[in-house]
Amino acid sequence: MCCEENNFTSLTNYSVRYQGREDNNCPDSVMTFQTFKSVDRTVCCGLIPCLFVVGVPANILNMIIFYRQGLRDRMNLCLFCLAFIDLMFLIVLIIGVSFCFIGFFLPKQEQFWRWILTRHTVNFAYGFVHSSGCLTMIIAVERWVCVMFPMKAATLISRKTMAIIVSLTLLLMQLLCGVYIVKEHILSVKDEVTGEYLVVSVLTDLYLSYSFFRIIENVVLSFISFFTFACVLLATAATVIQLHTAQSWRKSTASSHMKGQGMLMRMLVAMSCVYILCTAPNMALGLARFTVPEFRADGSFCNLFIATHMLSVLIIMFNSSINFFVYAAMSSRFRQELKALFSWTEAGMSLKTSISVTHIKHSSDSL
């Protein structure tokens, strides 16, 4: 099963299934239902919005700065696209959990909107997460190639080719994750005990009729997840091992350009390390689903299953929000561009204020 599978849908499946009632039949002896509900509310209605507030402006700044540095450079192009993908993921995810805000005004409609919003955002969330991982892999491999073949790296792949690769990757991931569009549909059923109508999700006939949907979901996307993680891990490790030799060669050339490339290399290695640390819990959850039969949404560890997958979504959000701070901490060029951006903004605001004051003064004189 895909390592990201159920990470987003788990935000809804279990709690909606029981509509928040205390008499649920989950036999989980590790985590109580009350603890699960606390984790659910804290993550969906507290921590995710907080990370959204941090991550959205951070990724917008990343896009602006890499655009100002020039998208003709293939690495700037990759980092610009990575910021855009992370931004889209954060926006889709906040839409998916906006049922919390709807619940403040329409408490009885909260579970209904939880299903509806998740149903229409889960495929995009998966697509952007897989795209972000694949693009991180491309960056990690590209940096490894630059370390191994420093004299030929610039000619191995052009900016246009890189743009095509990135575009096709984003399109392919969204198409593959389109399986979640046809997987389920929403039904409203009457609870014979309480007389209330419950919102449930059932598998569609189309999904059940064609096995290739399940192959995409359980095999193809799983392979992409593990392959991406393994490539980033191996490429980063190889880059770190070769970096010392490459740095010695750069020092012998006494080239400012090569020194700048060394700073860029360290920054991208740090970015890859953050990705590895943030993705490792998802890999662990994926292995747990393979090895522990009861670790699933309807198993004996259902509360723990859903809670851990909620936390994994939070870690993915953290990875999508933290790159700005990595760039600012490790790249002097990034800091200079950031400072220039704010200086330009302040200068523009000062000029606008000066023009407004002058206009008011002239208007007063004419009167």
Side-chain angles (χ1 to χ4, degrees):
M1 186 173 291
C2 177
C3 288
E4 282 87 7
E5 183 175 354
N6 290 321
N7 286 15
F8 306 103
T9 52
S10 65
L11 296 180
T12 65
N13 287 353
Y14 180 72
S15 58
V16 175
R17 182 179 299 137
Y18 296 105
Q19 295 286 300
R21 294 182 298 171
E22 302 298 331
D23 58 337
N24 75 84
N25 58 2
C26 178
D28 195 341
S29 59
V30 178
M31 177 178 288
T32 64
F33 184 63
Q34 286 297 331
T35 303
F36 160 75
K37 288 203 304 182
S38 298
V39 173
D40 172 66
R41 182 60 57 174
T42 300
V43 171
C44 294
C45 304
L47 298 179
I48 286 180
C50 288
L51 278 177
F52 173 83
V53 171
V54 175
V56 166
N59 282 295
I60 290 175
L61 284 173
N62 287 342
M63 292 173 64
I64 293 173
I65 289 174
F66 290 122
Y67 178 81
R68 285 167 59 92
Q69 288 182 356
L71 299 184
R72 291 185 178 277
D73 180 88
R74 67 175 184 268
M75 188 48 60
N76 284 343
L77 177 64
C78 287
L79 295 176
F80 175 89
C81 293
L82 180 62
F84 171 76
I85 291 171
D86 287 340
L87 175 64
M88 290 299 100
F89 167 69
L90 295 173
I91 292 174
V92 167
L93 192 57
I94 199 65
I95 293 173
V97 300
S98 59
F99 63 84
C100 291
F101 310 108
I102 296 175
F104 284 117
F105 304 99
L106 301 170
K108 293 183 179 181
Q109 297 292 321
E110 180 176 338
Q111 298 299 340
F112 169 77
W113 284 106
R114 187 168 193 162
W115 269 119
I116 293 298
L117 292 171
T118 301
R119 168 68 177 79
H120 290 90
T121 58
V122 63
N123 59 294
F124 295 107
Y126 279 126
F128 287 125
V129 167
H130 282 293
S131 298
S132 180
C134 289
L135 189 48
T136 302
M137 177 187 67
I138 292 171
I139 293 172
V141 172
E142 197 269 354
R143 287 296 95 184
W144 172 74
V145 172
C146 287
V147 172
M148 294 298 296
F149 310 102
M151 302 300 294
K152 299 180 180 180
T155 59
L156 288 177
I157 183 171
S158 65
R159 178 186 62 87
K160 182 178 180 180
T161 303
M162 182 65 77
I164 294 174
I165 292 174
V166 172
S167 300
L168 290 177
T169 299
L170 178 58
L171 178 61
L172 178 61
M173 292 303 105
Q174 290 295 343
L175 287 175
L176 289 175
C177 292
V179 65
Y180 297 104
I181 298 177
V182 302
K183 182 179 180 180
E184 298 174 330
H185 61 86
I186 308 300
L187 292 178
S188 180
V189 297
K190 186 176 182 180
D191 190 331
E192 298 298 335
V193 177
T194 63
E196 298 180 351
Y197 282 90
L198 307 180
V199 182
V200 297
S201 178
V202 297
L203 296 178
T204 64
D205 293 335
L206 179 62
Y207 179 84
L208 295 174
S209 300
Y210 297 96
S211 60
F212 71 86
F213 287 124
R214 292 186 293 278
I215 293 174
I216 292 174
E217 180 184 7
N218 299 325
V219 179
V220 177
L221 292 177
S222 296
F223 174 78
I224 291 174
S225 296
F226 283 104
F227 180 77
T228 299
F229 178 78
C231 283
V232 174
L233 180 62
L234 294 175
T236 302
T239 300
V240 171
I241 292 172
Q242 296 293 331
L243 194 56
H244 178 71
T245 303
Q247 286 177 333
S248 300
W249 178 79
R250 290 190 184 97
K251 289 179 181 179
S252 67
T253 62
S255 169
S256 59
H257 171 73
M258 290 302 176
K259 291 179 182 178
Q261 288 296 309
M263 295 174 62
L264 174 63
M265 188 79 66
R266 289 190 291 272
M267 181 189 79
L268 296 177
V269 166
M271 183 193 75
S272 297
C273 290
V274 171
Y275 169 83
I276 292 169
L277 292 174
C278 292
T279 308
N282 279 320
M283 298 298 108
L285 287 176
L287 293 175
R289 290 195 294 269
F290 278 119
T291 57
V292 183
E294 295 302 321
F295 188 67
R296 60 180 189 271
D298 57 348
S300 59
F301 299 124
C302 50
N303 289 335
L304 181 65
F305 176 90
I306 304 297
T308 53
H309 284 75
M310 287 181 180
L311 295 176
S312 73
V313 173
L314 205 62
I315 297 174
I316 295 172
M317 280 195 75
F318 177 81
N319 180 63
S320 296
S321 306
I322 198 65
N323 284 339
F324 170 82
F325 303 99
V326 175
Y327 303 153
M330 304 198 66
S331 173
S332 59
R333 185 185 177 192
F334 187 90
R335 291 193 299 270
Q336 291 171 1
E337 196 67 48
L338 182 64
K339 183 178 179 180
L341 174 64
F342 282 108
S343 298
W344 177 82
T345 304
E346 292 174 0
M349 293 179 63
S350 299
L351 179 61
K352 184 177 180 180
T353 303
S354 176
I355 293 174
S356 300
V357 171
T358 303
H359 178 72
I360 293 173
K361 184 178 179 180
H362 285 312
S363 298
S364 300
D365 291 342
S366 62
L367 291 174

